[in-house]
Amino acid sequence: MRLENPYLAEECVIKRTKRQTPDTYTYFISYPRGSKKLRTPFKPGQFIMISVLGVGEAPFSFSAWDDEEAIFETTIRTVGNVTSTLMRRGEGQRVWVRGPYGRGWPMEEARGRDILIVAGGIGIAPLKPVIELVAKNRRSYGSLEILYGAKTPDDLLFADEFNSWREIPDADLLLTVDSVPNGMEWDQNVGVVTTLFDKMRTEPNDSIVMTCGPEIMMKFVAKGLLAMGFQPKDLYLSLERRMKCGIAQCGHCQIGPKFVCRDGPVFPYSELRGLPDLLV
């Protein structure tokens, strides 16, 4: 039997881009016609490796998948050479993609249960497919509550989709920002995302939590929810730091016995407790 080379990437094309904030764009990337990837859609929470020849390679999460157009979306903040090049070259650029990799969000375990999403900043990007999957399969899940925070109102991603998220049956969206610039209108909460816990309706019984954002945020999200009675096995966190090869060969993302790229990036909190070099 011939094994597939795990390092082999496919040449793809950025079909279009969409500005989310001044430094964050959503890229709509298409696989070549006939690609096997078209028959194996990703699972929410998984990631892919995108490389730009002569520049480098980096991991990115999926933010959506369009079956009809065979296009996936990834939402990327510009923070390094690869992301800067992607933003500068934009539509029509050829990139090389391998994956998807990793363990995604527990959508099977979530069936029939209430779902609480807690996201900070760009952490909402890998959770967007969860929201869309629940919306498409509404009878398969319980209530959906989304708590989302950013630095300022202008830093909120997917703002043009908030109304459609609010229209999902039995769903709530609570927003918060760290601060509001002078002269800007804002009628939602001000404070870190955990200040929304007093306003949410999700109860610990028969619910599942999915959270993504800065590790310091997830630390206090876990601490707060555990104090409210949520169980460690029902809290899922996405760690996306330091991934480099994507297939647990380089060791960059190793935390104790775990490799974030292979064993995650989504972990139940019960698996992370006690591991070294973690804030959560």
Side-chain angles (χ1 to χ4, degrees):
M1 183 175 67
R2 184 177 182 180
L3 298 177
E4 184 176 351
N5 184 344
Y7 290 105
L8 191 62
E10 287 194 83
E11 184 178 1
C12 299
V13 176
I14 298 176
K15 302 297 288 187
R16 59 183 184 275
T17 64
K18 180 179 179 181
R19 182 181 184 272
Q20 298 289 344
T21 70
D23 66 353
T24 304
Y25 283 73
T26 294
Y27 297 82
F28 300 76
I29 300 176
S30 69
Y31 280 105
R33 188 180 299 276
S35 169
K36 293 180 180 178
K37 302 299 181 186
L38 301 179
R39 299 190 293 273
T40 55
F42 75 100
K43 298 176 181 176
Q46 287 188 304
F47 69 96
I48 34 84
M49 302 295 298
I50 297 179
S51 62
V52 180
L53 289 185
V55 179
E57 184 181 51
F60 302 103
S61 62
F62 291 101
S63 51
W65 173 275
D66 187 323
D67 285 325
E68 294 184 359
E69 294 190 53
I71 288 177
F72 72 84
E73 301 173 24
T74 179
T75 300
I76 299 172
R77 176 165 293 160
T78 304
V79 294
N81 290 336
V82 174
T83 54
S84 297
T85 303
L86 287 172
M87 187 179 75
R88 189 169 58 252
R89 296 182 182 175
E91 297 177 6
Q93 178 183 195
R94 297 189 180 278
V95 294
W96 277 255
V97 177
R98 57 187 178 92
Y101 299 121
R103 174 170 58 171
W105 298 108
M107 300 314 301
E108 285 303 313
E109 292 86 341
R111 283 184 175 273
R113 305 172 67 182
D114 297 335
I115 298 176
L116 173 63
I117 286 175
V118 186
I122 200 168
I124 191 68
L127 286 160
K128 179 170 169 278
V130 174
I131 299 168
E132 294 174 348
L133 183 66
V134 171
K136 289 179 180 178
N137 302 274
R138 195 63 198 95
R139 293 182 179 179
S140 298
Y141 301 95
S143 66
L144 172 65
E145 190 160 34
I146 306 161
L147 314 184
Y148 177 36
K151 290 182 179 178
T152 72
D154 281 342
D155 293 312
L156 291 163
L157 306 183
F158 312 121
D160 59 341
E161 302 193 41
F162 289 167
N163 286 338
S164 64
W165 293 358
R166 290 190 173 100
E167 291 173 357
I168 299 171
D170 198 17
D172 292 307
L173 171 63
L174 303 180
L175 301 174
T176 189
V177 293
D178 295 343
S179 62
V180 181
N182 291 334
M184 179 176 287
E185 294 185 3
W186 177 253
D187 60 0
Q188 305 289 310
N189 190 68
V190 176
V192 295
V193 73
T194 51
T195 61
L196 293 174
F197 287 174
D198 291 337
K199 300 177 174 64
M200 72 182 195
R201 63 187 176 99
T202 305
E203 300 288 341
N205 293 333
D206 204 24
S207 62
I208 197 164
V209 180
M210 306 180 195
T211 182
C212 186
E215 280 193 15
I216 189 66
M217 182 210 85
M218 293 195 289
K219 172 184 177 179
F220 285 99
V221 166
K223 182 178 180 180
L225 293 177
L226 291 172
M228 295 170 68
F230 288 84
Q231 298 300 306
K233 64 179 178 58
D234 295 326
L235 272 61
Y236 287 81
L237 303 80
S238 182
L239 304 176
E240 298 188 347
R241 62 177 186 166
R242 299 186 303 198
M243 291 192 292
K244 189 172 181 63
C245 72
I247 52 176
Q249 296 297 307
C250 70
H252 276 73
C253 66
Q254 187 170 7
I255 305 173
K258 303 287 187 182
F259 290 83
V260 174
C261 65
R262 183 193 64 191
D263 303 313
V266 175
F267 294 90
Y269 183 73
S270 54
E271 285 187 16
L272 295 176
R273 286 191 304 180
L275 293 180
D277 192 30
L278 272 180
L279 289 177
V280 296

